[in-house]
Amino acid sequence: MGITYEDFLDLDYEPTSEDLVCTFRIDPATGMSTEAAASRVASESSNGTWAALQTGADFTDMGATTFAIDGDSIQVAYPTGLFEPGNMPQVLSCIAGNIMGMKAVDSIRLMDCEWPESVVSSYPGPLYGSSVREEVFGVSDRPITATVPKPKVGLSTAAHAQVGYDAWVGGVDLLKDDENLTDQAFNPFADRLTESLSLRDDAEDETGEKKSYLINVTADTQTMLDRVDEVAAQGGEYVMVDIITAGWAGLQTVRERTEKHGLAIHAHRAMHAAFDRLPTHGVSMRVLAQISRLCGVDQLHTGTAGLGKLANEDTVGINDWLRRDLYGANDVLPVASGGLHPGLLPDLLDATGTNVCIQLGGGIHGHPDGTKAGAVALRSAIDAYVEGTSITEAADETPELAVALDKWGTETPR
Ligand SMILES: O=C(COP(=O)(O)O)[C@H](O)[C@H](O)COP(=O)(O)O
Ligand SMILES: [Mg+2]
């Protein structure tokens, strides 16, 4: 007797509101039926193994059930008792763990999850979500904007902060560190924090607008916590975390600490494509975004709806998910970033709506007349869109925008 693979397949099973339901796309190994592979997915990701067990009857049945097979798509229901409350690494060790490498499938991709309330409520969710626009900047009618100085690493602290100042006074809301800038000798974290926030104060005085800074705190967890404390002590409103490279455990610990200070979290997703780029294998960006929301990021990069420089998944579908009701959890503000410039904004905002953050690096600092002019061009393109004015009409009023359109047109970069 004992548990066998067949115990994990039941096409008559109907999932309950207590189950976590995962949709996978699988490619069974040569010679293996879809049913056999699908039962192994449910087994290995819950309580099974390759051998029929003789360990006896004294255990709680935490087995998952493959309850639907449709072509290469399968659905698996997991009992919530399988999951430690509030422990995202443990959840992923189940639903995206050993199964990613097992021989029973040539490839397997976790496409989507339906999270039950009992799991969702064990996570904090975002502290602010998209209300961060109102809470930090006092705006609710337009996208907020961010810029990342380029070159992405190598600028001195003074040069980096100056680029931020030029962008802020040109109309950008947020200075953002790049994903691989943390605490290097050419631009130490502590100096960058102090100098940038000092110039932020100057930019606020000059413009009469609220300005803020997404400083990258990514490091080992203890260092991240120290950096979060320092950002709060010096009057920042946000921290940025490279959530994939830092890891979910680190993010969860940071989320606890940021709440104490009332700081928002900007999530950069560098390395996500190691999981989500191949369409038949890994973990979809949609699921990574779901996990990010549960763990409590306020802003998350979700791509550019095909208009930017990076390969994209379903930006619009992911953004919809981040905004949908999730047992009262706050939403997440989508960040569109990567190869954007002002001429792309009308199409982009048509696709994403205006409750977003628009981030331009090269699309500001590559402006022929420099960073401030690039920032003016971005802001005028955003304001025109919100007012319902066409971008070409806006360019008649704002020479900086005319120059940007002249340089880049409406082309998607590669
Ligand atoms: O530095 C940039 C954008 O710079 P630029 O505006 O010069 O292209 C970001 O790291 C990318 O947006 C990441 O991609 P994604 O947002 O898709 O995660
Ligand atoms: Mg970057």
Side-chain angles (χ1 to χ4, degrees):
M1 280 297 289
I3 304 173
T4 64
Y5 284 131
E6 288 69 40
D7 295 320
F8 297 88
L9 180 69
D10 180 359
L11 298 179
D12 293 326
Y13 180 78
E14 289 190 12
T16 74
S17 60
E18 278 299 299
D19 290 334
L20 167 57
V21 174
C22 293
T23 303
F24 296 92
R25 182 191 288 167
I26 63 170
D27 180 13
T30 309
M32 183 163 299
S33 70
T34 303
E35 286 74 13
S39 60
R40 281 163 173 76
V41 171
S43 165
E44 186 62 41
S45 59
S46 58
N47 68 351
T49 186
W50 61 274
L53 299 177
Q54 304 299 329
T55 0
D58 186 16
F59 72 98
T60 309
D61 186 4
M62 289 292 119
T65 306
T66 296
F67 65 92
I69 299 177
D70 181 9
D72 60 1
S73 172
I74 68 167
Q75 287 193 292
V76 182
Y78 297 85
T80 47
L82 176 62
F83 304 114
E84 180 185 341
N87 185 340
M88 190 54 75
Q90 188 270 340
V91 172
L92 292 174
S93 293
C94 297
I95 65 173
N98 290 357
I99 53 172
M100 291 291 149
M102 67 185 195
K103 283 182 178 169
V105 289
D106 284 345
S107 63
I108 174 169
R109 182 174 179 84
L110 175 54
M111 304 291 294
D112 199 2
C113 298
E114 288 165 43
W115 302 88
E117 184 169 12
S118 56
V119 172
V120 172
S121 62
S122 74
Y123 291 85
L127 186 57
Y128 299 105
S130 70
S131 76
V132 77
R133 293 191 307 164
E134 182 73 48
E135 297 283 340
V136 175
F137 300 101
V139 302
S140 55
D141 59 340
R142 66 165 173 87
I144 57 171
T145 57
T147 190
V148 52
K150 302 286 176 174
K152 56 163 91 186
V153 286
L155 289 172
S156 68
T157 302
H160 192 272
Q162 182 64 41
V163 172
Y165 176 81
D166 292 343
W168 279 320
V169 296
V172 163
D173 302 300
L174 284 158
L175 170 66
K176 176 189 156 308
D177 283 354
D178 228 321
E179 67 282 350
N180 55 352
L181 177 65
T182 54
D183 184 31
Q184 291 102 316
F186 56 80
N187 192 351
F189 180 89
D191 297 350
R192 190 167 75 255
L193 175 64
T194 306
E195 291 188 33
S196 300
L197 292 183
S198 165
L199 289 189
R200 175 204 62 176
D201 294 346
D202 292 350
E204 288 182 346
D205 288 347
E206 190 173 328
T207 62
E209 291 186 335
K210 179 68 195 155
K211 305 291 179 183
S212 194
Y213 180 26
L214 307 173
I215 186 161
N216 187 1
V217 299
T218 305
D220 67 88
T221 304
Q222 186 55 54
T223 303
M224 286 200 282
L225 297 180
D226 294 344
R227 290 177 183 169
V228 167
D229 291 346
E230 205 45 46
V231 171
Q234 296 200 32
E237 293 84 8
Y238 279 90
V239 295
M240 169 174 140
V241 180
D242 295 338
I243 56 170
I244 309 288
T245 57
W248 305 105
L251 172 63
Q252 288 195 265
T253 308
V254 165
R255 172 64 181 80
E256 271 182 51
R257 185 64 64 92
T258 50
E259 177 144 14
K260 288 204 175 100
H261 298 303
L263 296 180
I265 299 174
H266 176 95
H268 197 292
R269 59 177 183 164
M271 200 180 160
H272 72 94
F275 299 100
D276 66 31
R277 183 160 186 165
L278 297 178
T280 55
H281 191 73
V283 179
S284 70
M285 183 59 212
R286 183 180 178 88
V287 171
L288 297 178
Q290 293 170 354
I291 296 164
S292 304
R293 183 175 178 187
L294 293 181
C295 291
V297 312
D298 298 286
Q299 306 185 170
L300 172 67
H301 291 233
T302 61
T304 55
L307 293 161
K309 72 180 178 188
L310 297 163
N312 276 289
E313 282 198 295
D314 175 23
T315 299
V316 172
I318 293 168
N319 291 357
D320 284 347
W321 195 93
L322 291 175
R323 292 165 177 151
R324 84 161 52 148
D325 179 54
L326 188 66
Y327 308 110
N330 282 334
D331 65 354
V332 175
L333 185 71
V335 179
S337 172
L340 295 177
H341 57 77
L344 297 170
L345 288 185
D347 284 350
L348 180 69
L349 293 173
D350 281 350
T352 62
T354 55
N355 193 10
V356 290
C357 177
I358 303 292
Q359 194 292 129
L360 270 62
I364 283 185
H365 313 297
H367 190 286
D369 299 319
T371 291
K372 185 176 174 190
V376 170
L378 168 63
R379 181 65 178 271
S380 66
I382 297 253
D383 289 345
Y385 184 89
V386 172
E387 287 159 12
T389 309
S390 80
I391 196 162
T392 41
E393 280 176 85
D396 290 339
E397 301 294 315
T398 309
E400 292 89 341
L401 180 56
V403 170
L405 292 182
D406 209 36
K407 181 168 176 67
W408 292 306
T410 54
E411 298 298 305
T412 294
R414 290 193 70 181

